[in-house]
């Protein structure tokens, strides 16, 4: 894809690679962390900081200016998903690479109905909503009891850089 | 005709008006809030998504919950705040410094306050295209009211026009209600709203077509579709054209401040593109050129609920202070530093430019308080 088309894609809301506010954790640390670590995709300066204020471990660093993009200390992250459900932009995800040999556990925010249930198969969607595989729902939680659910889906590790949403097939 | 004479009249019971009323009442003033709608809360009661901002402005809290928080605060000042719902302020007469107001369809009365805070919010803009008078073409505000206030689905498949925050958020809310979003067209080369709001609908498969707009609506009696077209850099419709099947076209191309009452009161007005229209000049206390008039919220420039609440507090505090109620020294500076920090982002830079145009240091002939 040409640079211009890549820019257009990003300008329409699709992440096209790592950039400030959307950096992946170092792979080595990520692979070891039980419970997973947070992945944030929030590359624009906006006046917002609930990811930081909701994080109990200090993994999301304090915002010097509320408009800064978030910065993470992955060492401190426990994968608790409190930020996943607090972020108004649904821009925080947790991915646990220790789930099994082939599969990772993807903990994704979900605000649609119907809610999937444990054991259900769901489509794994990429950042443009294209189905890139199938996953199994392992758990559905509501960390802050505020109606934003977090759906835990096991799916192949190969999808780790692209799988960011689910489609519940009715 | 009945005439009421409150110390402070707040026109509009949205984020700005409610904050203004609470702040003025906490300083000791007696306040009357007048709201056209059946319910208080303004735009907030339609917002089911979580808000941005910082903790001070209830970030991470859904809009309608923020309205509840403000209403609880107002409730704690029951003795000093009275509220008239279903009542519209219809005009201002400078001859005798009096407003006319209408409650429901019948009752007409007059209000003669000592100070007035105009927090009337905004009006939706619309764009012209063939067949835009067919049933099925809605403003985003109407769609939100139907869906989130009355629980009525406006359609099954929608074409959204505009990818500002409102277009993006209302698209998401439509999807939550089970409506399919066929596409979002946006005339500009990038989404106007927050990138994260776009990302969350993109990953659910909704196309956002940049440099595109609606050319015409299709249908005989009701909407059956729309023709969209590509635009060039000069926003000319150059194609390619595409037909979209839909029974709902939702227009979300922006808001303009509602300022008629300020104009009627002779407040100095100014057209400021960054604030999306004609707004009143104001000083740091949100006072206008008319010493009895203050302005706050979207009526003083289209921004966010977070800023509207802070502006409302400044206006409420200043109006109470002007009536001689003791207020905490330095509180206005504190509110201004909150506004400044809210306005430090990308969108905030534009707002700051706009504010710079309309903000006056002091009013000629005004005594220093
Ligand atoms: C879809 C959408 C999403 C949004 N998302 C966010 C967000 O995430 N974060 C954020 O901070 N902001 C958000 N906003 C913006 C926010 O809702 C507004 O900036 C805020 O509500 C403005 O408050 P206000 O009090 O100035 O105006 P309003 O809320 O519009 O209130 C004005 C009130 O005045 C009343 N009124 C008007 N004229 C009269 C009259 N003559 N007599 C009596 N009453 C009158 C109206 O009925 C209305 O209730 C969003 C807005 C929309 C539409
Ligand atoms: S997952 Fe938990 S520990 Fe990790 S950043 Fe989010 S809130 Fe903090
Ligand atoms: S809460 Fe979400 S949208 Fe807000 S700054 Fe953090 S990651 Fe970005």
């Amino acid at each position: 894809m040409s640079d211009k088309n890549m820019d257009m894609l990003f300008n329409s809301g699709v992440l096209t690679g790592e950039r400030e506010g959307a950096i992946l954790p170092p792979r080595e640390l990520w692979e070891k962390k039980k419970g997973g670590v947070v992945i944030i995709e929030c590359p624009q300066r906006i006046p917002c900081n609930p990811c930081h204020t909701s994080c109990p471990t200090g993994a999301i660093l304090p915002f010097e200016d509320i408009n800064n993009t978030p910065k993470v200390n992955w060492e401190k992250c426990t994968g608790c998903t409190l930020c996943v459900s607090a972020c108004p932009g649904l821009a925080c995800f947790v991915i646990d690479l220790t789930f099994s040999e082939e599969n990772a556990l993807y903990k994704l925010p979900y605000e649609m109905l119907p809610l999937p249930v444990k054991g259900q198969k769901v489509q794994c969607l990429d950042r443009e909503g294209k189905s890139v595989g199938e996953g199994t729902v392992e758990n559905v939680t509501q960390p802050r009891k505020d109606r934003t659910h977090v759906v835990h889906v096991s799916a192949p590790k190969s999808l780790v850089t692209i799988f960011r949403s689910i489609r519940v097939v009715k | 005709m009945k005439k009421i004479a409150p110390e402070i009249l707040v026109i509009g019971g949205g984020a700005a008006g409610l904050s203004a009323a609470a702040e003025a009442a906490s300083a000791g003033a007696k306040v009357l809030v007048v709201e056209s709608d059946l319910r208080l809360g303004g735009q907030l009661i339609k917002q089911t998504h979580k808000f941005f901002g910082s903790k001070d402005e209830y970030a991470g809290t859904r809009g309608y919950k923020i309205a509840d928080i403000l209403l609880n605060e107002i409730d704690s000042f029951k003795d000093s705040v009275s509220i008239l719902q279903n009542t519209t302020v219809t005009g201002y007469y400078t001859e005798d410094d009096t407003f006319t107001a209408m409650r429901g369809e019948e009752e007409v009365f007059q209000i003669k306050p000592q100070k007035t805070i105009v927090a009337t919010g905004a009006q939706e803009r619309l764009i012209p295209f063939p067949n835009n008078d067919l049933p099925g073409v809605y403003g985003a505000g109407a769609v939100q009211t139907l869906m989130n206030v009355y629980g009525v689905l406006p359609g099954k498949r929608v074409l959204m026009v505009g990818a500002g925050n409102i277009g993006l958020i209302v698209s998401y809310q439509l999807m939550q209600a089970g409506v399919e979003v066929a596409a979002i067209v946006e005339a500009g080369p990038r989404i106007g709203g927050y990138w994260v709001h776009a990302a969350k609908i993109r990953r659910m498969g909704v196309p956002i077509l940049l440099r595109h707009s609606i050319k015409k609506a299709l249908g005989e009696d009701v909407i059956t579709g729309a023709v969209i077209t590509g635009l060039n850099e000069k926003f000319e419709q150059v194609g390619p054209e595409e037909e979209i099947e839909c029974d709902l076209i939702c227009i979300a191309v922006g808001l303009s401040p509602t300022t008629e009452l300020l104009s009627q009161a002779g407040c100095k007005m100014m057209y400021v593109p960054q604030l999306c229209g004609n707004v009143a000049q104001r000083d740091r206390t949100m006072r206008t050129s008319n010493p009895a008039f203050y302005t706050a919220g979207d009526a003083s420039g289209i921004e966010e609920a977070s800023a509207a609440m802070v502006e409302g507090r400044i206006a409420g505090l200043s109006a109470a202070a002007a009536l001689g109620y003791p207020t905490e020294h330095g509180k206005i500076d504190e509110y201004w530093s909150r506004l400044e920090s809210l306005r430090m982002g990308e969108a905030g830079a534009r707002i700051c430019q706009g504010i710079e145009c309309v903000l006056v240091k002091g009013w000629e002939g005004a005594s220093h308080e």
Side-chain angles (χ1 to χ4, degrees), chain B residues 104-166:
Chain B
E105 310 254 295
E106 324 258 282
E107 196 188 336
V108 180
F109 58 97
Q110 296 181 342
I111 311 176
K112 186 170 185 165
Q114 294 173 39
K115 301 283 174 199
T116 300
I117 299 171
V118 178
T120 42
Q123 282 155 319
E124 275 184 287
R125 293 193 193 154
L126 293 172
I127 47 170
F129 52 84
N131 290 335
N132 73 351
D133 57 344
L134 279 178
V137 181
Y138 289 84
V143 164
Q144 270 202 315
T145 305
L146 277 178
M147 185 166 65
N148 297 349
V149 182
Y150 298 111
V152 175
L153 267 194
K156 292 198 182 75
R157 193 172 144 92
V158 60
L159 171 70
M160 181 65 69
V161 182
N165 272 329
I166 296 181

Side-chain angles (χ1 to χ4, degrees), chain B residues 13-34:
Chain B
L18 292 177
S19 305
E23 190 78 17
S26 77
K30 296 263 188 281
V31 187
L32 170 68
V33 181
V34 176

Side-chain angles (χ1 to χ4, degrees), chain B residues 5 9 11 13 53 67 96 121 137 155-156 169 190 213-214 233 241 270 280 284 286-287 298 305 312 324 335 340 344:
Chain B
L9 169 67
I11 308 175
D96 42 10
V137 181
K156 292 198 182 75
I169 289 168
R190 57 174 52 83
S213 189
I214 182 166
E233 262 110 77
E241 289 181 12
M270 201 174 178
R284 267 171 70 88
M286 298 309 288
R287 207 203 92 182
D298 280 357
Y335 285 144
E340 274 154 24
M344 265 169 5

Side-chain angles (χ1 to χ4, degrees), chain A residues 133-148:
Chain A
E134 192 182 66
T136 307
V137 175
E138 303 291 340
N139 200 359
V140 179
T141 65
Q142 198 183 155
R144 290 166 12 112
K145 306 283 168 261
D146 65 353
R147 296 188 171 192
T148 298

Side-chain angles (χ1 to χ4, degrees), chain A residues 43-102:
Chain A
Q44 182 188 33
R45 286 173 55 77
I46 52 175
C48 183
N49 70 4
C51 49
H52 160 66
T53 50
S54 67
C55 175
T57 67
I60 300 177
L61 304 181
F63 284 60
E64 234 166 78
D65 168 351
I66 191 170
N67 293 284
N68 285 350
T69 54
K71 290 199 175 59
V72 188
N73 176 351
W74 287 282
E75 295 272 358
K76 287 191 179 166
C77 177
T78 59
C80 73
T81 71
L82 279 168
C83 59
V84 177
S85 73
C87 166
L90 304 196
C92 301
F93 317 87
V94 166
I95 303 179
D96 182 356
L97 293 177
T98 70
F99 183 74
S100 77
E101 196 61 42
E102 320 82 63

Side-chain angles (χ1 to χ4, degrees), chain B residues 78-93:
Chain B
K78 256 207 290 291
D79 299 335
S80 25
V81 181
S82 37
I83 292 165
L84 285 175
Q85 277 136 276
N86 195 18
T87 305
T88 302
V89 174
T90 48
Y92 181 72
Y93 297 84

Side-chain angles (χ1 to χ4, degrees), chain A residues 8-15 41-50 65-67 85-86 88-91 93 111-112 125-129 144 146-148 164-165 167, chain B residues 50-55 59-62 64 172 175-176 189-191 193-200 202-206 208 210-211 304 340-347:
Chain A
M8 282 290 261
L9 194 58
F10 177 77
N11 289 343
S12 78
V14 177
L15 196 68
E41 300 190 351
C42 183
Q44 182 188 33
R45 286 173 55 77
I46 52 175
C48 183
N49 70 4
D65 168 351
I66 191 170
N67 293 284
S85 73
L90 304 196
F93 317 87
E111 294 188 327
M112 296 288 152
L125 306 183
D126 71 4
R127 296 183 182 88
E128 290 177 79
R144 290 166 12 112
D146 65 353
R147 296 188 171 192
T148 298
R164 292 295 179 268
S165 183
R167 182 173 294 131
Chain B
K50 291 175 182 172
F51 274 32
F52 291 83
S54 76
K55 258 192 171 157
T61 308
R62 298 184 194 282
Y64 70 95
Y172 186 71
M175 291 166 87
Q176 288 179 308
R190 57 174 52 83
I191 43 160
Y194 290 158
W195 188 90
V196 284
H197 280 320
K200 71 184 175 197
R202 290 291 268 136
R203 69 174 88 98
M204 291 173 65
V206 175
I208 297 182
L210 302 174
R211 289 205 186 289
E304 300 252 275
E340 274 154 24
S341 89
L342 287 170
R343 288 172 179 159
M344 265 169 5
E346 270 174 33

